[in-house]
Amino acid sequence: MRKGPPSGVLVDQLDTPALLVDLDALERNIQKMTDFFAGRPAALRPHAKTHKCPQIALRQLRAGAIGITCAKVGEAEVMVEAGITDILIANQVTGEIKIDRLTELARRCDMMVAVDDAANVQALSQACRAKGATLRVLVEVDIGMGRCGIAPGSAAVELARAVSGAPNLQFLGLMGYEGHLVLVKDPDERERRVREAFGLLRDTANQLAAIGLPVEIVSGGGTGTYDVTSDCPPVTEVQAGSYVFMDSTYCGVRPEFEPSLTVLTTVVSRPVPERAVVDAGLKAMTKELGWPRPLEAEAASLRYLSEEHGVLDLSAPEAVSWRPGDRVRFLPSHCCTTVNLYDSLHVIQDGRLVEVWPIAARGRSQ
Ligand SMILES: Cc1ncc(COP(=O)(O)O)c(C=O)c1O
């Protein structure tokens, strides 16, 4: 195995492509979100699918988060190995293999999972019974995103009843994710639509209370909506994730957080003055939300990414001095999927490497 770079080296001495996080900006983002939640009725349960890195999850918990959120059982397994004991998998876990892994985790720590299907509830209950495990359950309600989640109202109430009657499952409440609203640009429109969406959860929670099923937890929210969602009773937990790193997409919506994540690349070719090529393509930067943005180079923009090449147009070639071997940093357009391309995160402070953190849950999509 190749030895990693020694602590203290300058950023420009790192091999590329490399994923960098600015430690001070990361810590300011964590602190800012912590400060926001201090003294509010809702709490923060940050989504670890953004960083997939136990070192960051532990920092969020030390700062006051009440637990973490994961997207997948595989991510949760990594976080449990790191000593984290309170985890929501904000997704449905189906199929024998995964349910078996989930119940194993539930024997070791406080696991919580989302459900939207009665047969899945029975399968979870049976598996937990067989293993002597208890699993906490939230009924996921579709509040307008049109992804997972049962319809609000009577269908959700029926499912909650099924959960509360199922051995070894503990009905704790509801989850709704307003993913269709997190990037709404206009803050007033965003707020109005988020309040409307969580009104559906409130009505469902009221119906549950009326039949004697108390709702302890109501979970939802992302970086784009954390401030409004946390102020929509009966929301008790917010699952924001991207705020730790940010990206060019989210920076346009939530300027109060700083971009802390960048991709360091090297120019491999400048075949003509108007074009430069870097050593980071689709296997080093994602583009489903737009082109990653080269930093400190107004006149440069990505034209395309092939597997291992990033091809940049230089609109004012004379203003860009790049030669092969020079370094170029990019701001990703989607932090969560970019992180998943790397094994490790280079932690930078004042232009020098201070630590290398494994992205231990990278690729854990099962
Ligand atoms: C279920 C769920 N909760 C919360 C989030 C919030 O994440 P972010 O803060 O990145 O918007 C996501 C993002 O995909 C999600 O799928």
Side-chain angles (χ1 to χ4, degrees), residues 47 49-50 69 90-91 147 175 177 182 220-224 239-243 250 336:
H47 212 316
K49 53 115 198 177
T50 298
T69 303
N91 268 320
R147 193 169 69 178
M175 177 183 130
Y177 177 52
V182 294
T223 296
Q239 306 168 5
S242 296
Y243 72 96
Y250 251 146
C336 307

Side-chain angles (χ1 to χ4, degrees), residues 230-285:
S230 58
D231 185 44
C232 285
V235 169
T236 60
E237 301 191 353
V238 171
Q239 306 168 5
S242 296
Y243 72 96
V244 289
F245 291 150
M246 301 299 288
D247 50 39
S248 59
T249 307
Y250 251 146
C251 280
V253 180
R254 304 285 2 179
E256 67 270 39
F257 296 104
E258 301 171 48
S260 66
L261 189 80
T262 50
V263 173
L264 182 70
T265 73
T266 303
V267 175
V268 289
S269 177
R270 179 128 185 219
V272 291
E274 304 75 29
R275 184 163 79 240
V277 183
V278 296
D279 62 351
L282 289 166
K283 291 176 176 172
M285 303 192 278

